[in-house]
Amino acid sequence: MLTEYAFWFLTFVAIFSAMGMILSKNPVYSVLSLIVTFFAIAGHYFLLNAQFLAAVHIIVYAGAIMVLFLYVIMMLNLNKVDEEKRSIWSKAAAAASFGILLLVVSAAIGHGHAQSELQSVADTSAIGTTETLGLSLYKEFLIPFEISSVLFLAAMVGAVYLSKKEQYN
Amino acid sequence: MALLPNITIDHYLYFSTILFCLGIAGILYRRNAIIMFMCIELMLNAVNVALVAFSKMYGQTDAQVFVFFIMVVAAAEVAVGLAILMMLYRNMHTTETDVLDKLKF
C-alpha cells in the first residue's frame, strides 16, 4: 500500500516538474525543475529494486550533467527572464504533437495488454543489485563497455577541442 | 503481472509515454538551445524508466545494462553538446535557435 502511494507521488512530482521545466521563463528554474524530475525518477528506480541504477542516476544526472548545465547557463549569463517571441504555430505544433503522440502510444499500450501477460517471475528482487549488474556488465557486455570508454575518450577530446578560444568567422 | 502491489507494467509505460511526449513538446515549444538539450535528456530518461520496468517484469538484468549505456551516451553527448553551445555563444552571442539558422557562418 505504501509503495502504491509512493508510485503515485513520484509520478506526479516527475510529471509536474517536467512541465515546470518546459514552461518556466528562467533557464535556472528549468534546470532545478529537471533535477527534481531526475530525483523522482531515481525514486522510481528504487521502487523497482534497481538500487545500483538509482544511485548511478543521482550521481551522473543530478551530480554531473545538471551541474554542467547550470555551470554553462551561469557562464553564458543566461539566468535572466527571456521573453521569447514564439509564434502561434510553434505553440500549436508543440501542443498537437504532444497530444497526438500521447494518444497513439497510449492506444498502443492499451491494445498490447493481452500480449504483455507473458510470464511472471517469482523472485525479481536480486536483479538490480550491484553484484548481478556488475557480473552482467563485465561478462556479457564487456565489449560494449570497452567501446563506451573509447566513446568517452572521443567526447573528451571533442569537448576540449571545441572549447579552445579561437574565432571561426 | 503486478510489479508492485496494484501497479502494473501499463502504469510505468503510461508514465514513460507522458514524460517522452513532454520532452517532444518542450523541444517544439522552447527556442533556447540549452532548454532543448534538457528536453532531450528528459526523453532519454523516459525510455530508461520503461526499460527498468521491463527489466523488473521479466526478471532480467540486460535492460538495466542498456540503461547504464544510455546514461554513458547521454553524458558524452552533454559534454560535446555544451561545448558546441559555448562555441556558438562565443561567436554569435546567443543560444536562441531562431537566430542560429545558418548551417555555415
Coordinates of all heavy atoms in Angstrom, one line a residue, chain A residues 3-4 7-8 11 22 24 30-31 38 44-45 47 49 57 61 75-76 78 84 86 90-91 94 97-98 101-102 105-106 109 113 116 118-119 121 124 127-128 133 137 152 162 164 167-168, chain B residues 1 4-7 10-15 17 21-22 24-25 28-31 34 38 41 45 48-49 52 55-59 61 64-65 68-69 71-72 74 84 86-87 89-91:
Chain A
T3 N 3.9 1.4 -1.1 CA 4.6 1.5 -2.4 C 3.7 2.1 -3.4 O 4.2 2.8 -4.3 CB 5.2 0.2 -2.8 OG1 4.1 -0.7 -2.8 CG2 6.3 -0.3 -1.9
E4 N 2.4 1.8 -3.3 CA 1.5 2.4 -4.3 C 1.4 3.9 -4.2 O 1.5 4.6 -5.2 CB 0.1 1.7 -4.1 CG -0.9 1.9 -5.2 CD -2.2 1.4 -4.9 OE1 -2.3 0.6 -3.9 OE2 -3.2 1.8 -5.6
F7 N 4.5 5.3 -5.5 CA 4.5 5.4 -7.0 C 3.7 6.6 -7.5 O 4.2 7.4 -8.3 CB 3.8 4.1 -7.5 CG 3.6 4.2 -9.0 CD1 4.6 3.8 -9.9 CD2 2.4 4.6 -9.6 CE1 4.4 3.9 -11.3 CE2 2.1 4.6 -10.9 CZ 3.2 4.3 -11.8
W8 N 2.5 6.8 -7.0 CA 1.7 8.0 -7.5 C 2.4 9.3 -7.1 O 2.4 10.2 -7.9 CB 0.3 7.9 -6.9 CG -0.5 6.8 -7.6 CD1 -0.9 5.6 -7.0 CD2 -0.9 6.6 -8.9 NE1 -1.5 4.8 -7.8 CE2 -1.5 5.4 -9.1 CE3 -0.7 7.4 -10.1 CZ2 -2.0 4.9 -10.3 CZ3 -1.2 7.0 -11.3 CH2 -1.8 5.8 -11.4
T11 N 5.3 9.8 -9.4 CA 4.8 10.0 -10.8 C 4.4 11.5 -10.9 O 4.8 12.2 -11.9 CB 3.7 9.1 -11.1 OG1 4.2 7.8 -11.0 CG2 3.2 9.3 -12.5
I22 N 9.6 22.9 -18.8 CA 9.3 23.4 -20.1 C 8.7 24.8 -20.0 O 9.1 25.7 -20.8 CB 8.3 22.5 -20.8 CG1 8.9 21.1 -21.1 CG2 7.8 23.1 -22.1 CD1 8.0 20.1 -21.5
S24 N 8.8 27.2 -17.5 CA 9.4 28.4 -16.8 C 10.2 29.3 -17.7 O 10.9 28.8 -18.6 CB 10.2 27.8 -15.6 OG 11.4 27.3 -16.1
S30 N 14.4 26.2 -14.9 CA 14.2 24.9 -15.7 C 15.2 23.9 -15.3 O 14.8 22.7 -15.1 CB 14.5 25.3 -17.2 OG 13.5 26.1 -17.7
V31 N 16.4 24.2 -15.0 CA 17.4 23.2 -14.6 C 17.0 22.6 -13.3 O 17.1 21.4 -13.1 CB 18.8 23.9 -14.5 CG1 19.8 22.9 -13.9 CG2 19.3 24.2 -15.9
F38 N 14.5 14.3 -12.1 CA 15.5 13.2 -12.0 C 15.5 12.5 -10.7 O 15.6 11.3 -10.6 CB 16.9 13.7 -12.4 CG 17.1 14.0 -13.8 CD1 18.1 14.8 -14.3 CD2 16.3 13.4 -14.8 CE1 18.3 15.0 -15.6 CE2 16.4 13.6 -16.1 CZ 17.4 14.5 -16.5
H44 N 11.7 6.1 -8.5 CA 11.1 5.0 -9.3 C 12.0 3.8 -9.4 O 11.6 2.7 -9.3 CB 10.6 5.5 -10.6 CG 9.3 6.1 -10.7 ND1 8.2 5.4 -10.4 CD2 8.9 7.4 -11.0 CE1 7.1 6.2 -10.5 NE2 7.5 7.4 -10.8
Y45 N 13.3 4.1 -9.6 CA 14.2 3.0 -9.7 C 14.3 2.3 -8.4 O 14.4 1.0 -8.4 CB 15.6 3.5 -10.2 CG 15.7 4.0 -11.6 CD1 16.8 4.8 -12.0 CD2 14.7 3.8 -12.5 CE1 16.9 5.3 -13.3 CE2 14.8 4.3 -13.8 CZ 15.9 5.0 -14.2 OH 16.0 5.5 -15.4
L47 N 12.0 2.0 -6.2 CA 10.7 1.2 -6.1 C 10.8 -0.1 -7.0 O 10.2 -1.1 -6.6 CB 9.5 2.0 -6.6 CG 8.9 3.0 -5.6 CD1 7.7 3.5 -6.2 CD2 8.7 2.3 -4.3
N49 N 13.4 -1.9 -7.4 CA 14.5 -2.7 -7.0 C 15.8 -2.6 -7.8 O 16.6 -3.5 -7.9 CB 14.2 -4.2 -7.0 CG 13.4 -4.6 -5.7 OD1 13.7 -4.0 -4.7 ND2 12.6 -5.6 -5.8
H57 N 22.1 7.0 -11.2 CA 21.3 8.0 -11.8 C 21.5 9.4 -11.1 O 21.6 10.4 -11.7 CB 19.8 7.6 -11.8 CG 18.9 8.5 -12.6 ND1 18.2 9.5 -12.0 CD2 18.6 8.5 -13.9 CE1 17.5 10.1 -13.0 NE2 17.7 9.5 -14.1
Y61 N 23.3 12.1 -13.3 CA 22.5 13.2 -13.8 C 22.4 14.4 -12.8 O 22.8 15.5 -13.2 CB 21.0 12.6 -14.0 CG 20.9 12.0 -15.3 CD1 20.9 10.6 -15.5 CD2 20.8 12.8 -16.4 CE1 20.8 10.0 -16.7 CE2 20.7 12.2 -17.7 CZ 20.7 10.8 -17.8 OH 20.6 10.3 -19.0
M75 N 27.7 30.7 -16.8 CA 28.8 31.2 -17.6 C 28.4 32.1 -18.7 O 29.0 33.1 -19.0 CB 29.7 30.1 -18.1 CG 31.1 30.4 -18.3 SD 32.1 29.0 -18.1 CE 32.9 28.9 -19.6
L76 N 27.3 31.7 -19.4 CA 26.8 32.5 -20.5 C 25.9 33.6 -20.0 O 25.3 34.3 -20.9 CB 26.0 31.6 -21.5 CG 26.7 30.4 -22.1 CD1 25.9 29.7 -23.1 CD2 28.0 30.8 -22.7
L78 N 22.9 33.5 -18.8 CA 21.5 33.4 -19.3 C 20.5 33.4 -18.2 O 19.3 33.2 -18.4 CB 21.4 32.1 -20.1 CG 22.1 32.0 -21.4 CD1 22.0 30.6 -22.0 CD2 21.6 33.0 -22.4
E84 N 10.6 35.1 -24.8 CA 10.8 34.5 -26.2 C 9.5 34.9 -27.0 O 8.4 34.9 -26.5 CB 10.8 33.0 -26.0 CG 12.0 32.6 -25.2 CD 12.1 31.1 -25.2 OE1 11.1 30.4 -25.6 OE2 13.1 30.6 -24.6
R86 N 7.4 33.6 -29.4 CA 7.0 32.4 -30.0 C 5.8 32.6 -30.9 O 4.9 33.4 -30.5 CB 6.6 31.3 -29.0 CG 7.8 30.9 -28.1 CD 7.3 29.8 -27.3 NE 8.1 29.7 -26.1 CZ 7.9 30.3 -25.0 NH1 6.8 31.1 -24.9 NH2 8.6 30.2 -23.9
S90 N 4.3 27.6 -33.4 CA 5.1 26.7 -32.7 C 4.4 26.2 -31.4 O 4.6 25.0 -31.0 CB 6.4 27.4 -32.3 OG 6.2 28.3 -31.3
K91 N 3.6 27.0 -30.8 CA 2.8 26.6 -29.7 C 1.8 25.5 -30.1 O 1.6 24.4 -29.5 CB 2.0 27.7 -29.1 CG 2.8 28.7 -28.3 CD 1.9 29.8 -27.8 CE 2.7 30.9 -27.2 NZ 1.8 32.0 -26.7
A94 N 3.6 22.3 -30.8 CA 4.0 21.6 -29.6 C 2.8 20.9 -29.0 O 2.9 19.7 -28.6 CB 4.6 22.6 -28.6
S97 N 1.6 17.9 -31.3 CA 2.5 16.7 -31.3 C 2.4 16.0 -29.9 O 2.4 14.8 -29.8 CB 3.9 17.1 -31.6 OG 4.4 18.0 -30.6
F98 N 2.3 16.8 -28.8 CA 2.2 16.2 -27.5 C 0.9 15.3 -27.5 O 0.9 14.1 -27.1 CB 2.1 17.3 -26.4 CG 1.8 16.8 -25.1 CD1 2.8 16.1 -24.3 CD2 0.6 16.9 -24.5 CE1 2.6 15.6 -23.1 CE2 0.3 16.5 -23.2 CZ 1.3 15.8 -22.5
L101 N 0.9 12.2 -30.2 CA 1.8 11.1 -29.8 C 1.3 10.4 -28.6 O 1.4 9.2 -28.5 CB 3.2 11.7 -29.6 CG 4.3 10.6 -29.5 CD1 4.5 9.9 -30.8 CD2 5.6 11.3 -29.1
L102 N 0.8 11.2 -27.6 CA 0.3 10.6 -26.3 C -0.8 9.7 -26.7 O -0.9 8.5 -26.1 CB -0.1 11.7 -25.4 CG -0.4 11.3 -23.9 CD1 0.9 10.7 -23.3 CD2 -0.9 12.5 -23.2
V105 N 0.5 6.4 -28.7 CA 1.2 5.4 -27.8 C 0.3 4.9 -26.7 O 0.4 3.7 -26.4 CB 2.5 6.1 -27.3 CG1 3.3 5.1 -26.5 CG2 3.3 6.6 -28.4
S106 N -0.6 5.7 -26.2 CA -1.5 5.2 -25.1 C -2.4 4.1 -25.7 O -2.6 3.1 -25.1 CB -2.3 6.3 -24.5 OG -1.5 7.3 -24.0
I109 N -0.4 1.0 -26.1 CA -0.2 0.3 -24.8 C -1.5 -0.4 -24.4 O -1.5 -1.6 -23.9 CB 0.3 1.3 -23.7 CG1 1.6 1.8 -24.0 CG2 0.3 0.7 -22.3 CD1 2.0 3.0 -23.2
H113 N -2.1 -5.0 -24.2 CA -2.2 -5.5 -22.8 C -2.3 -7.0 -22.8 O -1.7 -7.7 -21.9 CB -3.3 -4.9 -22.1 CG -3.4 -5.3 -20.6 ND1 -4.1 -6.3 -20.2 CD2 -2.7 -4.8 -19.6 CE1 -4.0 -6.5 -18.9 NE2 -3.1 -5.6 -18.5
S116 N 1.1 -8.7 -23.0 CA 2.1 -8.4 -22.0 C 2.1 -9.4 -20.9 O 3.0 -9.4 -20.1 CB 1.9 -7.0 -21.5 OG 0.8 -7.0 -20.6
L118 N 3.0 -12.4 -20.4 CA 3.8 -13.5 -20.9 C 4.2 -14.4 -19.7 O 3.9 -15.6 -19.7 CB 5.0 -13.0 -21.6 CG 4.8 -12.4 -23.0 CD1 6.0 -11.8 -23.5 CD2 4.4 -13.5 -23.9
Q119 N 4.9 -13.9 -18.8 CA 5.4 -14.7 -17.7 C 5.4 -13.9 -16.4 O 5.5 -12.6 -16.5 CB 6.7 -15.2 -18.1 CG 7.8 -14.1 -18.3 CD 9.0 -14.7 -18.9 OE1 9.0 -15.7 -19.5 NE2 10.1 -14.0 -18.6
V121 N 7.7 -13.7 -13.1 CA 8.9 -14.3 -12.5 C 8.7 -14.2 -11.0 O 8.3 -13.2 -10.4 CB 10.2 -13.5 -12.9 CG1 11.4 -14.0 -12.2 CG2 10.3 -13.6 -14.4
T124 N 12.2 -11.4 -8.3 CA 13.0 -10.5 -9.1 C 13.7 -9.5 -8.2 O 14.1 -8.4 -8.7 CB 12.1 -9.7 -10.0 OG1 11.1 -9.1 -9.2 CG2 11.4 -10.7 -11.0
I127 N 17.7 -8.7 -9.2 CA 18.3 -8.3 -10.5 C 18.9 -7.0 -10.5 O 19.7 -6.7 -11.4 CB 17.1 -8.3 -11.5 CG1 16.0 -7.5 -11.1 CG2 16.7 -9.7 -11.8 CD1 15.0 -7.2 -12.2
G128 N 18.6 -6.1 -9.5 CA 19.1 -4.7 -9.6 C 20.3 -4.5 -8.7 O 20.8 -3.3 -8.7
L133 N 24.4 -6.8 -11.6 CA 24.6 -5.9 -12.7 C 26.1 -5.9 -13.1 O 26.4 -5.8 -14.3 CB 24.2 -4.5 -12.3 CG 23.6 -3.6 -13.4 CD1 22.5 -4.3 -14.1 CD2 23.2 -2.3 -12.8
L137 N 27.6 -6.9 -16.6 CA 28.3 -5.9 -17.4 C 29.7 -6.3 -17.8 O 30.2 -6.0 -18.9 CB 28.4 -4.6 -16.5 CG 28.9 -3.3 -17.2 CD1 28.0 -2.9 -18.3 CD2 28.9 -2.2 -16.2
F152 N 33.9 7.8 -24.6 CA 34.1 8.9 -23.6 C 35.4 9.6 -24.0 O 35.5 10.8 -23.9 CB 34.2 8.3 -22.2 CG 33.0 8.5 -21.4 CD1 32.4 7.4 -20.8 CD2 32.4 9.7 -21.3 CE1 31.3 7.6 -20.0 CE2 31.3 9.9 -20.6 CZ 30.7 8.8 -20.0
L162 N 36.7 21.8 -29.0 CA 35.7 22.8 -29.3 C 35.7 24.0 -28.4 O 35.4 25.1 -28.8 CB 34.3 22.2 -29.2 CG 33.8 21.3 -30.3 CD1 32.6 20.6 -30.0 CD2 33.6 22.1 -31.6
K164 N 38.4 25.5 -27.3 CA 39.5 26.3 -27.4 C 39.1 27.7 -27.8 O 38.1 27.9 -28.5 CB 40.4 25.7 -28.5 CG 41.4 24.7 -28.0 CD 42.5 24.5 -29.0 CE 42.0 24.2 -30.4 NZ 43.1 23.9 -31.4
Q167 N 38.5 32.1 -32.9 CA 37.4 32.7 -33.7 C 37.3 32.0 -35.0 O 38.3 31.8 -35.7 CB 37.6 34.2 -33.9 CG 37.6 35.0 -32.7 CD 36.2 35.1 -32.1 OE1 35.2 35.1 -32.8 NE2 36.1 35.2 -30.7
Y168 N 36.1 31.5 -35.3 CA 35.9 30.8 -36.5 C 35.4 31.6 -37.7 O 35.4 31.2 -38.8 CB 34.9 29.6 -36.3 CG 35.5 28.5 -35.5 CD1 35.4 28.5 -34.1 CD2 36.2 27.5 -36.1 CE1 36.0 27.5 -33.4 CE2 36.8 26.5 -35.3 CZ 36.7 26.5 -34.0 OH 37.3 25.5 -33.3
Chain B
M1 N 0.8 -10.0 -12.7 CA 1.5 -9.1 -13.6 C 1.9 -7.8 -12.8 O 2.4 -6.9 -13.4 CB 0.7 -8.7 -14.8 CG 1.4 -8.6 -16.1 SD 2.4 -10.1 -16.3 CE 4.0 -9.4 -16.4
L4 N 4.5 -3.9 -8.6 CA 4.3 -3.6 -7.2 C 2.9 -3.9 -6.9 O 2.1 -4.2 -7.8 CB 4.6 -2.1 -7.0 CG 6.0 -1.6 -7.4 CD1 6.0 0.0 -7.5 CD2 7.0 -2.1 -6.5
P5 N 2.5 -3.8 -5.6 CA 1.0 -4.0 -5.3 C 0.2 -3.0 -6.1 O 0.4 -1.8 -5.9 CB 0.9 -3.9 -3.8 CG 2.3 -4.2 -3.3 CD 3.2 -3.8 -4.4
N6 N -0.7 -3.5 -6.9 CA -1.7 -2.7 -7.7 C -1.1 -1.8 -8.8 O -1.7 -1.0 -9.4 CB -2.5 -1.7 -6.8 CG -3.4 -2.5 -5.8 OD1 -3.9 -3.6 -6.2 ND2 -3.6 -2.0 -4.6
I7 N 0.2 -2.0 -9.0 CA 0.9 -1.2 -10.1 C 1.3 -2.2 -11.1 O 2.1 -3.1 -10.8 CB 2.1 -0.4 -9.5 CG1 1.7 0.5 -8.4 CG2 2.7 0.4 -10.6 CD1 0.8 1.6 -8.8
D10 N 1.7 -1.4 -17.3 CA 1.0 -0.4 -18.0 C 1.2 1.0 -17.3 O 1.3 2.0 -18.0 CB -0.5 -0.7 -18.2 CG -0.7 -1.8 -19.2 OD1 0.3 -2.4 -19.6 OD2 -1.9 -2.1 -19.4
H11 N 1.1 1.0 -16.0 CA 1.3 2.3 -15.3 C 2.6 2.9 -15.7 O 2.7 4.1 -16.0 CB 1.2 2.1 -13.8 CG -0.2 1.8 -13.3 ND1 -0.7 0.5 -13.4 CD2 -1.1 2.6 -12.8 CE1 -1.9 0.5 -12.9 NE2 -2.2 1.8 -12.5
Y12 N 3.7 2.1 -15.7 CA 5.0 2.6 -16.0 C 5.1 3.0 -17.4 O 5.8 4.0 -17.7 CB 6.1 1.5 -15.6 CG 6.4 1.5 -14.2 CD1 5.9 0.6 -13.3 CD2 7.3 2.5 -13.7 CE1 6.2 0.6 -12.0 CE2 7.6 2.5 -12.3 CZ 7.0 1.6 -11.5 OH 7.3 1.6 -10.2
L13 N 4.4 2.2 -18.3 CA 4.5 2.6 -19.7 C 3.8 4.0 -20.0 O 4.3 4.8 -20.7 CB 3.9 1.5 -20.6 CG 4.8 0.3 -20.7 CD1 4.1 -0.7 -21.6 CD2 6.1 0.6 -21.2
Y14 N 2.6 4.2 -19.3 CA 1.9 5.4 -19.5 C 2.8 6.6 -18.9 O 2.9 7.7 -19.5 CB 0.6 5.4 -18.8 CG -0.5 4.6 -19.5 CD1 -1.2 3.6 -19.0 CD2 -0.8 5.0 -20.9 CE1 -2.1 2.9 -19.6 CE2 -1.7 4.3 -21.5 CZ -2.4 3.2 -20.9 OH -3.3 2.5 -21.6
F15 N 3.4 6.3 -17.8 CA 4.3 7.4 -17.2 C 5.4 7.7 -18.1 O 5.7 8.9 -18.4 CB 4.8 6.9 -15.8 CG 5.8 7.7 -15.2 CD1 5.6 9.0 -14.9 CD2 7.0 7.2 -14.8 CE1 6.6 9.8 -14.3 CE2 8.0 7.9 -14.2 CZ 7.8 9.2 -14.0
T17 N 5.5 7.3 -21.3 CA 5.0 8.0 -22.5 C 4.7 9.4 -22.3 O 5.1 10.3 -23.1 CB 3.7 7.3 -23.0 OG1 3.9 5.9 -23.1 CG2 3.2 7.9 -24.3
C21 N 6.5 12.5 -24.3 CA 5.8 13.5 -25.0 C 6.0 14.9 -24.5 O 6.1 15.9 -25.2 CB 4.3 13.2 -24.9 SG 3.8 11.7 -25.8
L22 N 6.2 15.0 -23.2 CA 6.6 16.3 -22.6 C 7.9 16.8 -23.2 O 8.1 18.0 -23.5 CB 6.6 16.2 -21.1 CG 5.3 16.4 -20.4 CD1 5.5 16.1 -18.9 CD2 4.7 17.7 -20.6
I24 N 9.2 16.0 -26.1 CA 9.0 16.4 -27.5 C 8.3 17.8 -27.6 O 8.7 18.7 -28.3 CB 8.1 15.4 -28.3 CG1 9.0 14.2 -28.6 CG2 7.6 15.9 -29.6 CD1 8.4 13.2 -29.5
A25 N 7.3 18.0 -26.7 CA 6.6 19.3 -26.7 C 7.5 20.4 -26.3 O 7.5 21.5 -26.9 CB 5.4 19.2 -25.7
L28 N 9.7 21.4 -29.2 CA 9.0 22.2 -30.2 C 8.6 23.6 -29.7 O 8.4 24.5 -30.4 CB 7.8 21.5 -30.7 CG 8.0 20.3 -31.6 CD1 6.8 19.5 -31.8 CD2 8.6 20.7 -32.9
Y29 N 8.5 23.7 -28.4 CA 7.9 24.9 -27.8 C 9.0 25.9 -27.4 O 8.9 27.1 -27.7 CB 7.2 24.5 -26.5 CG 6.5 25.6 -25.8 CD1 5.5 26.4 -26.4 CD2 6.8 26.0 -24.4 CE1 4.9 27.4 -25.7 CE2 6.2 27.0 -23.8 CZ 5.2 27.7 -24.4 OH 4.6 28.7 -23.8
R30 N 10.2 25.4 -26.9 CA 11.2 26.4 -26.5 C 12.1 26.7 -27.7 O 12.3 26.0 -28.6 CB 12.0 25.7 -25.4 CG 11.3 25.5 -24.1 CD 10.6 26.7 -23.6 NE 11.5 27.7 -23.2 CZ 11.8 28.0 -22.0 NH1 11.2 27.4 -21.0 NH2 12.7 29.0 -21.7
R31 N 12.7 27.9 -27.6 CA 13.6 28.4 -28.6 C 15.1 28.5 -28.1 O 16.0 28.8 -28.8 CB 13.2 29.7 -29.1 CG 12.0 29.7 -30.0 CD 12.4 29.0 -31.3 NE 11.3 28.6 -32.1 CZ 10.7 27.4 -32.1 NH1 11.2 26.5 -31.3 NH2 9.7 27.1 -32.8
I34 N 19.8 25.4 -25.0 CA 20.1 24.7 -23.7 C 18.9 24.0 -23.2 O 18.9 22.8 -22.8 CB 20.7 25.7 -22.7 CG1 22.1 26.2 -23.2 CG2 20.9 25.0 -21.4 CD1 22.8 27.1 -22.3
M38 N 18.0 20.0 -22.6 CA 17.4 19.4 -21.4 C 16.2 18.5 -21.7 O 16.0 17.5 -21.1 CB 17.1 20.5 -20.4 CG 18.3 21.0 -19.7 SD 18.1 22.6 -18.9 CE 16.6 22.4 -18.1
E41 N 17.4 15.2 -22.7 CA 17.7 14.4 -21.5 C 16.5 13.8 -20.9 O 16.4 12.6 -20.5 CB 18.4 15.2 -20.5 CG 19.7 15.8 -20.9 CD 20.7 14.7 -21.2 OE1 20.8 13.8 -20.5 OE2 21.4 14.8 -22.3
N45 N 15.5 9.8 -20.4 CA 15.1 9.2 -19.1 C 13.8 8.6 -19.1 O 13.5 7.6 -18.4 CB 15.2 10.3 -18.0 CG 16.5 10.5 -17.5 OD1 16.9 9.7 -16.7 ND2 17.2 11.5 -18.0
N48 N 14.5 5.2 -20.3 CA 15.1 4.5 -19.2 C 14.1 3.9 -18.2 O 14.2 2.8 -17.8 CB 16.1 5.4 -18.4 CG 17.4 5.6 -19.2 OD1 17.6 5.0 -20.2 ND2 18.2 6.4 -18.7
V49 N 13.1 4.7 -17.9 CA 12.1 4.2 -16.9 C 11.3 3.0 -17.5 O 11.1 2.0 -16.8 CB 11.0 5.3 -16.6 CG1 9.8 4.8 -15.9 CG2 11.7 6.4 -15.8
V52 N 13.7 -0.1 -17.3 CA 13.8 -0.6 -15.9 C 12.5 -1.4 -15.5 O 12.6 -2.4 -14.9 CB 14.2 0.5 -14.9 CG1 14.2 -0.1 -13.5 CG2 15.5 1.0 -15.2
S55 N 12.6 -4.6 -17.2 CA 13.6 -5.5 -16.6 C 13.1 -6.1 -15.3 O 13.3 -7.3 -15.0 CB 14.9 -4.6 -16.2 OG 15.5 -5.1 -15.1
K56 N 12.3 -5.3 -14.6 CA 11.6 -5.9 -13.4 C 10.6 -6.9 -13.8 O 10.4 -8.0 -13.1 CB 11.0 -4.8 -12.6 CG 10.1 -5.2 -11.5 CD 10.8 -5.4 -10.2 CE 9.8 -5.7 -9.1 NZ 10.4 -6.2 -7.9
M57 N 9.9 -6.7 -14.9 CA 8.8 -7.6 -15.3 C 9.3 -8.9 -15.7 O 8.8 -10.0 -15.3 CB 8.0 -6.9 -16.4 CG 6.9 -7.7 -17.0 SD 6.0 -6.7 -18.2 CE 5.9 -7.9 -19.5
Y58 N 10.4 -8.9 -16.5 CA 10.9 -10.2 -17.0 C 12.0 -10.8 -16.1 O 12.5 -11.9 -16.3 CB 11.5 -10.0 -18.4 CG 10.4 -9.8 -19.4 CD1 10.2 -8.6 -20.0 CD2 9.7 -10.9 -19.8 CE1 9.2 -8.4 -20.9 CE2 8.7 -10.8 -20.7 CZ 8.4 -9.5 -21.3 OH 7.4 -9.4 -22.2
G59 N 12.4 -10.0 -15.1 CA 13.4 -10.6 -14.2 C 14.8 -10.7 -14.8 O 15.5 -11.7 -14.4
T61 N 18.5 -8.9 -16.2 CA 19.4 -7.8 -16.0 C 19.8 -6.9 -17.2 O 20.2 -5.8 -17.1 CB 20.7 -8.3 -15.4 OG1 20.4 -9.3 -14.5 CG2 21.5 -7.2 -14.6
Q64 N 18.7 -3.3 -17.6 CA 19.4 -2.4 -16.8 C 20.8 -2.0 -17.3 O 21.3 -0.9 -17.1 CB 19.4 -2.9 -15.3 CG 18.1 -3.2 -14.8 CD 18.0 -3.2 -13.3 OE1 19.0 -3.0 -12.6 NE2 16.8 -3.5 -12.8
V65 N 21.4 -3.0 -17.9 CA 22.7 -2.7 -18.5 C 22.5 -1.7 -19.7 O 23.3 -0.8 -19.9 CB 23.4 -4.0 -19.0 CG1 24.7 -3.7 -19.7 CG2 23.6 -4.9 -17.8
F68 N 22.3 1.6 -18.3 CA 23.6 2.1 -18.0 C 24.3 2.7 -19.2 O 24.9 3.8 -19.1 CB 24.4 0.9 -17.5 CG 25.6 1.2 -16.7 CD1 25.6 1.8 -15.5 CD2 26.9 0.9 -17.3 CE1 26.8 2.1 -14.8 CE2 28.0 1.2 -16.6 CZ 28.0 1.8 -15.4
F69 N 24.2 2.0 -20.4 CA 24.9 2.5 -21.6 C 24.2 3.8 -22.1 O 24.9 4.7 -22.6 CB 24.9 1.5 -22.6 CG 25.9 0.4 -22.4 CD1 25.6 -0.9 -22.3 CD2 27.2 0.7 -22.2 CE1 26.5 -1.9 -22.1 CE2 28.2 -0.2 -22.0 CZ 27.8 -1.5 -21.9
M71 N 22.9 6.0 -20.2 CA 23.5 7.1 -19.3 C 24.9 7.5 -19.8 O 25.2 8.7 -19.8 CB 23.6 6.6 -17.9 CG 22.3 6.6 -17.1 SD 22.5 6.1 -15.5 CE 20.8 6.0 -14.9
V72 N 25.7 6.5 -20.2 CA 27.0 6.8 -20.7 C 27.0 7.7 -21.9 O 27.6 8.7 -22.0 CB 27.8 5.5 -21.0 CG1 29.0 5.7 -21.8 CG2 28.1 4.7 -19.8
A74 N 24.5 9.6 -22.9 CA 24.0 10.9 -22.5 C 25.0 11.8 -22.0 O 25.1 13.0 -22.3 CB 22.8 10.7 -21.6
I84 N 29.8 22.7 -27.9 CA 29.3 23.3 -29.1 C 28.5 24.6 -28.8 O 28.7 25.6 -29.5 CB 28.5 22.3 -30.0 CG1 29.4 21.2 -30.5 CG2 27.8 23.0 -31.1 CD1 28.6 20.1 -31.2
M86 N 28.7 26.5 -26.2 CA 29.7 27.5 -25.7 C 30.3 28.2 -26.9 O 30.5 29.4 -26.9 CB 30.7 26.9 -24.8 CG 30.3 26.4 -23.5 SD 30.0 27.7 -22.4 CE 31.6 28.4 -22.3
M87 N 30.8 27.4 -27.9 CA 31.5 28.0 -29.1 C 30.5 28.8 -29.9 O 30.9 29.9 -30.3 CB 32.0 26.8 -29.9 CG 33.0 27.3 -31.0 SD 33.1 26.0 -32.2 CE 31.5 26.2 -33.0
Y89 N 27.9 30.4 -28.7 CA 27.6 31.7 -27.9 C 28.8 32.6 -28.0 O 28.6 33.8 -28.1 CB 27.4 31.3 -26.5 CG 26.9 32.5 -25.7 CD1 25.6 32.9 -25.7 CD2 27.8 33.3 -24.9 CE1 25.1 33.9 -25.0 CE2 27.3 34.4 -24.2 CZ 26.0 34.7 -24.3 OH 25.5 35.8 -23.6
R90 N 30.0 32.1 -28.1 CA 31.2 32.9 -28.2 C 31.2 33.7 -29.5 O 31.7 34.8 -29.6 CB 32.5 32.1 -28.0 CG 33.7 32.9 -27.6 CD 34.9 32.1 -27.5 NE 34.8 31.1 -26.4 CZ 35.2 29.9 -26.4 NH1 35.7 29.4 -27.5 NH2 35.0 29.1 -25.4
N91 N 30.7 33.0 -30.6 CA 30.8 33.6 -31.9 C 29.5 34.4 -32.3 O 29.6 35.4 -32.9 CB 31.0 32.5 -33.0 CG 32.4 32.0 -32.9 OD1 33.4 32.7 -33.1 ND2 32.6 30.7 -32.6

